Amino acid sequence: MKKVLITGIRGQDGAYLAKLLLEEGYEVYGADRRSSDASYWRLEKLKIKDKVKIIYMDLLEDSNVAEVIREHRFDQIYNLAAQSFVHASFKQPILTSNVNSLGVLRILEAIRMFSKDTKFYQASTSELFGKVIEIPQKETTPFYPRSPYGVSKLFAHWITVNYREAYDMFNVCGILFNHESPLRSIEFVTKKVVNSVSKIKLGLLEKLEIGNIEAKRDWGYAPEYVYGMYLMMNHNVPEDFVLATGESHSVKELIEKAFSFIDMYLRWEEKDGRFIALDKNGNIRVVTDKQYYRPSEVDFLVGDYSKAKNVLGWEPKVKFDKLIEIMMTEELKELEKLRRNENTILQG
Ligand code: NAP
Ligand code: G4F
């Protein structure tokens, strides 16, 4: 049985990847930074909490990382742990760099010293392309990151490549475009939008407050992307791959799509530099707010996944419309379940 470590086990991708690797017969260890709130809701939701062996490994702690890797000598390590919220990276650039850049180097150093045969996956990102130099973006497109997060991931990407070349290690970088799911954290825009729109539908919220509605992203479905990670790790040569859908949509389109799911159609107006959207009764349902804007933005991303398709046979099936449908359906179901439980408690 192959022994694999997933860092960032409590995150969206960690949960889906753990499920996939368990199904593929791996012994799955999940690295978690210790916290006072030991909630593993994503693993519980996927019904795999009892099957994943949790160990504490904080990427900020050199000796912790080294000891875990020396003791277990995993066959494979997927490094998904990160301060992954771009907006927060402007407020916490040093923490972000320490975790996302030096954290990766800590793992690579430990592998180099104690476990040279361990295969390593690094979670690179389309944020590397930032202010894009080429459309669509592919493996050979030059990088131009636009946030402390993007810059921290640039170091991580190149140090992973460098250790592959310098020490002949099996290291791969997956340059993944945005991928979403019902397990996405609420701070990211897709989940925030589907959550607010579902609450509006249920009468729990009046309007959605949002940032830059003009930014465009290539949004895919997380379970398909973790399958791509798995294919990269099991490919015979360590190489880097882009995973994307090849479609780009604006935040505005995302909002309209989510509202259309609840049969609400919006009319947009611009007032004093802010956008508002009204429903057919004239109620304000969306309003833009500068607090959600970033000091420097990635305006447009769209990926070319042809290398992954040709070499790995990977292809996304869930595109934008289907993705929003999946997320809206699940969000409404969850919120209605919550409401039923609250009513039962109140009546009981
Ligand atoms: P996520 O949900 O934010 O999960 C990241 C995980 O990293 C969290 O569980 C977090 O722990 C953990 N973490 C943070 N700091 C840590 C530290 N110092 N030591 C150990 N663990 C730490 O992210 P995701 O969406 O699953 O993404 C997985 C990876 O892919 C990330 O590296 C992200 O940057 C990258 N990526 C994501 C996307 C995307 O669209 N989802 C696209 C490209 C690349 P807590 O739960 O305790 O906070
Ligand atoms: O959902 P987001 O926060 O994702 P972002 O910044 O693209 O980053 C995600 O994808 C990257 C891959 O490209 C990952 F590397 C990274 O870890 C993360 O998973 O924002 C998407 C867009 C941005 O342009 C943002 O300015 O939505 C815009 N936006 C507008 N209003 C908002 C909001 N984003 C958030 N989070 N919240 C808003 O209210």
Side-chain angles (χ1 to χ4, degrees):
M1 204 184 212
K2 281 201 175 132
K3 202 164 147 182
V4 61
L5 177 71
I6 302 172
T7 73
I9 192 68
R10 281 217 248 175
Q12 169 190 262
D13 291 5
Y16 284 122
L17 180 64
K19 183 168 188 294
L20 172 71
L21 296 180
L22 285 165
E23 285 163 2
E24 293 295 327
Y26 287 79
E27 183 183 5
V28 178
Y29 286 73
D32 185 18
R33 55 173 168 175
R34 215 199 66 76
S35 91
S36 56
D37 162 29
S39 153
Y40 296 98
W41 66 273
R42 292 185 175 94
L43 299 182
E44 276 156 12
K45 186 123 186 113
L46 299 182
K47 301 187 174 42
I48 54 169
K49 167 69 184 71
D50 297 339
K51 300 189 182 104
V52 177
K53 297 174 179 159
I54 300 292
I55 43 182
Y56 292 133
M57 187 175 108
D58 195 316
L59 293 201
L60 293 175
E61 195 68 55
D62 303 26
S63 60
N64 184 196
V65 172
E67 274 169 18
V68 166
I69 289 172
R70 189 176 52 189
E71 185 189 333
H72 290 277
R73 293 176 203 276
F74 300 99
D75 294 292
Q76 302 180 352
I77 298 178
Y78 289 85
N79 180 38
L80 308 185
Q83 191 304 89
S84 74
F85 187 30
V86 174
H87 198 180
S89 77
F90 288 98
K91 301 257 187 315
Q92 300 184 323
I94 293 171
L95 172 83
T96 301
S97 306
N98 204 339
V99 178
N100 296 5
S101 305
L102 293 181
V104 179
L105 185 50
R106 289 182 184 103
I107 298 177
L108 288 169
E109 271 293 87
I111 295 176
R112 184 184 69 79
M113 288 188 294
F114 307 122
S115 189
K116 200 68 192 299
D117 293 330
T118 300
K119 290 180 166 186
F120 179 72
Y121 174 91
Q122 170 55 20
S124 288
T125 163
S126 51
E127 280 290 304
L128 295 174
F129 299 121
K131 191 169 176 177
V132 299
I133 284 167
E134 184 180 26
I135 296 172
Q137 297 85 52
K138 52 181 188 280
E139 293 78 6
T140 50
T141 303
F143 298 137
Y144 191 152
R146 291 272 285 172
S147 63
Y149 169 83
V151 175
S152 72
K153 285 280 185 174
L154 184 75
F155 175 88
H157 182 88
W158 283 119
I159 201 70
T160 302
V161 172
N162 178 248
Y163 270 51
R164 175 168 75 212
E165 293 172 355
Y167 304 116
D168 199 22
M169 286 161 59
F170 191 108
N171 294 343
V172 300
C173 297
I175 308 171
L176 271 51
F177 282 65
N178 299 51
H179 45 280
E180 319 291 313
S181 75
L183 299 188
R184 194 59 150 144
S185 292
I186 193 113
E187 57 200 351
F188 298 103
V189 76
T190 53
K191 180 73 170 186
K192 177 176 170 176
V193 168
V194 299
N195 177 266
S196 296
V197 174
S198 301
K199 284 182 172 158
I200 289 170
K201 158 87 176 161
L202 298 177
L204 303 170
L205 186 76
E206 208 174 299
K207 59 177 179 292
L208 162 69
E209 292 174 10
I210 199 80
N212 179 8
I213 58 171
E214 284 159 325
K216 288 187 156 187
R217 290 290 181 277
D218 180 330
W219 280 295
Y221 186 42
E224 296 188 335
Y225 284 53
V226 301
Y227 181 58
M229 296 176 189
Y230 166 76
L231 292 177
M232 288 177 216
M233 276 291 245
N234 291 288
H235 180 49
N236 48 1
V237 203
E239 285 179 54
D240 309 324
F241 292 90
V242 158
L243 300 185
T245 70
E247 280 186 18
S248 189
H249 297 272
S250 67
V251 172
K252 186 176 176 193
E253 285 174 78
L254 161 69
I255 294 169
E256 287 172 342
K257 183 57 70 184
F259 272 100
S260 74
F261 191 84
I262 60 162
D263 289 325
M264 226 182 240
Y265 299 91
L266 303 171
R267 178 166 54 82
W268 291 89
E269 284 179 8
E270 199 183 342
K271 226 182 202 170
D272 309 326
R274 293 177 112 189
F275 291 95
I276 57 168
L278 304 109
D279 66 18
K280 69 174 189 316
N281 300 317
N283 300 308
I284 296 177
R285 294 307 189 178
V286 185
V287 57
T288 57
D289 188 329
K290 288 284 174 207
Q291 69 167 301
Y292 301 111
Y293 283 59
R294 293 156 189 196
S296 50
E297 176 66 284
V298 171
D299 297 315
F300 176 79
L301 290 175
V302 65
D304 173 354
Y305 63 90
S306 45
K307 181 181 175 191
K309 185 179 173 189
N310 296 335
V311 179
L312 304 173
W314 182 87
E315 210 168 352
K317 292 191 185 66
V318 176
K319 303 249 175 140
F320 180 70
D321 287 3
K322 182 73 188 157
L323 174 68
I324 306 310
E325 192 186 311
I326 293 172
M327 291 182 74
M328 279 300 298
T329 306
E330 188 62 21
E331 197 67 18
L332 279 165
K333 204 171 87 190
E334 283 298 312
L335 283 174
E336 273 162 359
K337 198 161 87 190
L338 250 176
R339 196 154 75 165
R340 270 199 308 277
N341 289 347
E342 275 171 13
N343 284 342
T344 315
I345 291 167
L346 285 175
Q347 283 158 16

